[in-house]
Amino acid sequence: MIQEVINARLLGQSGLFHLDITGGRISGIAPMNGQSKPSDSVADLGGDWLTLGGVDLQINGGLGLAIPDLTPEHLPVLKKISRYLWAQGVDGYVPTIVTAAVTDIQQSLRVLADYMQAQPTEQSAQVLGAHLEGPCLNYEKRGAHPPEHLMPLDCAHLQTLLGEYAGIVRIMTLAPELDPTGASIEYLCDRNIIVSLGHSLATEAEANRAYAQGATMVTHAFNAMPSLHHRRPGLLGAAMINPAVHCGFIADGQHVSPTVLKLFLRSCDHPFLVSDALAPLGLPDGTYPWDTRKIIVTNGTARLDDQTLAGTTHPLLTGVENLARWGICDPEAAITLATHAPRKALGIVDLGIGQSVSNLLRWTDDANSLKWERLSLHN
């Protein structure tokens, strides 16, 4: 049984560290200050990175189940999805409900609320709340969202939409130009819901107003918003230089080109990685139902019949591996984007005393090829 981890690299720290383990949890962290004697109770990482698992703030489903389709009968499937994500290196996730009928959204929220009351805590990714991606989006930038279910953005519609489930909604993506008064953003912030801008045609001025009113996030940067223009920076340009705003992005090589991602990561104050994974996550490429339509998954990228991008079927940490393989950023930065950065955006704690060892990932860097594994207490 492992009682000490030595020669570990930690994010944002120089040098190597050792961690004491008591009862399956971290009981001490300190710099290496001498040689530890090899034994069956010591795990020597040899300079590999040690982090908590990933946190996915935008994931629309998995194993064939779309989050907007949740019913009470799907609780066992949600449990399987959570265990699948844990096996994919994810510690926590925010199930994303895309634009749908209000009754369907509220039913999904009800099921998530029931699941969160008794979700498993061992070898299972934790549901951290819900992400409403819509329905208060700009029609012109709706992407794959069904137009018949888009809603105006005002406090009355938000009250109807959230109903009695505002307490489990962690993030809401909206187009701020739909409510120039900003009352909607204030309404959501008062309920501790993170406001993320997306599916929007907001100008720089409109975005800056929304950020001043309390919006602190951007949903899948570059996608479903105007391109970054040298005279019209728009909501993304305004976000990239705002130290209070966190920008999610997808690293599948299709939603944003690797070259543009490299420029983005050099310029953005607080980027973080998302999967934007859809219901076929964990299933092979093919054609799958999606609301009343279908999506075609090819090499992990999902599109509608008209070739509109709908999302991916790549797990979150595939994006980390891609960033390292493409040479876009160094290994520490790539790992940070899926582990520390989304935690910071969500305001939850990172690696420290009391964390379960079962949530620790060991990252090995071999010539820009990052590989991870769950750290086991057993040699």
Side-chain angles (χ1 to χ4, degrees):
M1 182 71 72
I2 299 299
Q3 296 178 335
E4 186 179 4
V5 177
I6 64 173
N7 293 319
R9 298 179 73 182
L10 304 182
L11 297 176
Q13 304 291 330
S14 60
L16 300 176
F17 288 78
H18 75 80
L19 289 77
D20 294 319
I21 310 298
T22 304
R25 296 187 176 275
I26 299 171
S27 55
I29 303 175
M32 293 291 296
N33 55 8
Q35 296 294 322
S36 293
K37 296 180 180 180
S39 76
D40 291 340
S41 65
V42 175
D44 189 343
L45 268 58
D48 287 347
W49 297 97
L50 188 68
T51 72
L52 292 180
V55 172
D56 199 345
L57 303 189
Q58 188 179 3
I59 176 170
N60 308 278
L63 303 181
L65 176 64
I67 300 300
D69 296 339
L70 279 173
T71 67
E73 290 72 28
H74 289 128
L75 284 169
V77 184
L78 194 55
K79 185 175 181 179
K80 289 180 180 178
I81 291 172
S82 296
R83 293 197 180 281
Y84 171 81
L85 291 174
W86 186 89
Q88 296 298 316
V90 173
D91 285 351
Y93 66 112
V94 184
T96 302
I97 304 172
V98 296
T99 300
V102 171
T103 53
D104 292 338
I105 291 173
Q106 291 188 343
Q107 177 171 256
S108 297
L109 291 173
R110 185 180 308 117
V111 175
L112 288 173
D114 290 344
Y115 179 80
M116 290 173 68
Q117 287 184 350
Q119 61 182 321
T121 57
E122 294 297 324
Q123 298 190 352
S124 179
Q126 299 298 289
V127 172
L128 303 174
H131 178 172
L132 296 185
E133 188 183 349
C136 304
L137 309 177
N138 191 306
Y139 177 89
E140 299 300 326
K141 286 295 180 182
R142 66 190 184 280
H145 290 244
E148 65 270 22
H149 295 308
L150 294 177
M151 289 175 58
L153 177 60
D154 57 49
C155 294
H157 281 94
L158 290 177
Q159 185 175 11
T160 299
L161 176 67
L162 296 172
E164 59 185 288
Y165 300 104
I168 72 155
V169 176
R170 203 71 182 265
I171 305 168
M172 184 169 181
T173 295
L174 55 80
E177 67 273 21
L178 300 184
D179 180 13
T181 71
S184 300
I185 293 176
E186 182 179 359
Y187 180 91
L188 293 169
C189 291
D190 285 347
R191 286 153 181 80
N192 296 313
I193 297 172
I194 295 170
V195 175
S196 186
L197 306 190
H199 291 274
S200 168
L201 284 171
T203 64
E204 179 184 18
E206 289 170 328
N208 279 332
R209 182 171 62 232
Y211 300 140
Q213 291 161 344
T216 58
M217 198 177 286
V218 167
T219 296
H220 47 47
F222 295 98
N223 296 110
M225 61 188 65
S227 299
L228 194 60
H229 190 278
H230 60 287
R231 286 192 295 271
R232 295 183 296 277
L235 75 86
L236 181 58
M240 288 169 62
I241 62 170
N242 189 321
V245 178
H246 302 261
C247 296
F249 71 98
I250 306 164
D252 65 344
Q254 298 295 319
H255 281 75
V256 188
S257 83
T259 298
V260 173
L261 276 184
K262 193 167 188 176
L263 291 169
F264 169 71
L265 292 174
R266 286 180 177 180
S267 307
C268 186
D269 277 348
H270 296 299
F272 65 91
L273 191 63
V274 299
S275 71
D276 199 23
L278 301 180
L281 172 68
L283 304 179
D285 285 359
T287 301
Y288 295 92
W290 200 58
D291 55 48
T292 60
R293 300 164 289 175
K294 62 181 180 180
I295 51 174
I296 299 95
V297 180
T298 305
N299 296 325
T301 297
R303 297 179 183 269
L304 301 180
D305 276 334
D306 63 3
Q307 294 301 298
T308 299
L309 271 172
T312 76
T313 59
H314 295 297
L316 178 70
L317 299 190
T318 297
V320 178
E321 295 166 1
N322 286 342
L323 292 172
R325 179 165 52 86
W326 296 334
I328 286 179
C329 50
D330 63 50
E332 180 177 12
I335 296 167
T336 297
L337 288 165
T339 58
H340 171 74
R343 283 182 168 85
K344 186 174 182 180
L346 210 57
I348 58 178
V349 297
D350 208 336
L351 188 147
I353 304 299
Q355 292 282 358
S356 172
V357 176
S358 66
N359 290 336
L360 296 179
L361 301 185
R362 177 180 182 173
W363 298 83
T364 303
D365 174 27
D366 182 14
N368 288 330
S369 177
L370 272 175
K371 301 297 180 184
W372 63 269
E373 63 179 354
R374 288 280 181 185
L375 187 69
S376 173
L377 285 179
H378 301 279
N379 280 330

